């Protein structure tokens, strides 16, 4: 497994993986009427900005196939996204990605994120603490149940 910084050219490939993850992994915790608009939504406007700032880490195999990716927003000291190919779960890819995202963080501030319900146990294993449940107003128009989490700096 190798890692590189994601660029604006990667948006469509990364978004396709994200969409697959929403459909295959999040459906265990969200009903179809939430999954459908969530998975059909386009990449958010801030993705180009975050990738342009070097806030994206892409994990690839030795043939250049994307295994997963994470996006970090330095301004908010926030993990914006973390997705691993559903066929490659449990292989340490997510853990390796989160360590690289945390290396981008300001160590004097806590790192925050909004976790999908299915991802909460993963983030807890990485040292994040659940702060509160919330409804994230997703750009697709659905209110996504999520958990605001933090990891002390």
């Amino acid at each position: 497994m190798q890692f590189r910084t994601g660029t604006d050219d990667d948006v469509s490939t990364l978004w396709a993986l994200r969409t697959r993850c929403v459909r295959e992994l999040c459906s265990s915790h969200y009903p179809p009427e939430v999954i459908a608009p969530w998975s059909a939504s386009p990449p958010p406007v801030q993705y180009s900005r975050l990738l342009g700032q070097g806030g994206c880490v892409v994990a690839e195999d030795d043939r250049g196939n994307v295994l997963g990716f994470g996006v970090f927003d330095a301004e908010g000291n926030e993990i914006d996204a973390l997705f691993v190919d559903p066929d490659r779960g449990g292989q340490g890819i997510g853990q390796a990605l989160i360590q690289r995202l945390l290396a981008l963080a300001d160590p004097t501030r806590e790192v925050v994120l909004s976790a999908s319900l299915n991802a909460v146990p993963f983030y807890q294993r990485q040292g994040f603490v659940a702060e509160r449940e919330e409804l994230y107003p997703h750009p697709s128009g659905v209110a996504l149940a999520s958990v605001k989490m933090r990891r002390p700096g």
Side-chain angles (χ1 to χ4, degrees):
M1 183 168 37
Q2 54 206 18
F3 299 90
R4 66 175 175 81
T5 301
T7 68
D8 205 32
D9 293 337
D10 293 311
V11 170
S12 62
T13 301
L14 301 181
W15 202 251
L17 175 59
R18 166 262 181 209
T19 299
R20 191 171 154 229
C21 290
V22 168
R23 288 184 180 139
E24 294 182 27
L25 303 176
C26 298
S27 59
S28 62
H29 287 72
Y30 296 90
E33 60 270 17
V34 170
I35 294 292
W38 182 12
S39 64
S41 65
V45 177
Q46 77 261 25
Y47 257 49
S48 290
R49 175 180 60 82
L50 295 175
L51 271 61
Q53 294 171 346
C56 178
V57 179
V58 178
E60 297 177 325
D61 65 15
D62 56 3
R63 290 174 289 161
N65 297 312
V66 175
L67 304 173
F69 73 98
V71 179
F72 187 78
D73 183 350
E75 186 178 305
N77 219 40
E78 178 176 12
I79 294 177
D80 185 77
L82 180 65
F83 294 100
V84 173
D85 183 319
D87 297 331
R88 303 298 295 264
Q91 299 178 12
I93 298 165
Q95 188 171 357
L97 282 167
I98 204 162
Q99 293 308 313
R100 282 160 177 79
L101 294 174
L102 291 171
L104 300 173
D106 176 351
T108 65
R109 297 164 52 203
E110 68 181 15
V111 177
V112 297
L113 58 85
S114 185
S116 59
L117 301 178
N118 54 294
V120 170
F122 167 78
Y123 287 117
Q124 287 173 325
R125 290 191 302 273
Q126 309 309 316
F128 284 81
V129 177
E131 202 170 79
R132 69 182 177 278
E133 289 188 22
E134 60 185 6
L135 289 177
Y136 170 72
H138 193 267
S140 66
V142 296
L144 280 180
S146 61
V147 178
K148 190 73 172 173
M149 301 185 82
R150 61 180 172 75
R151 185 170 191 231

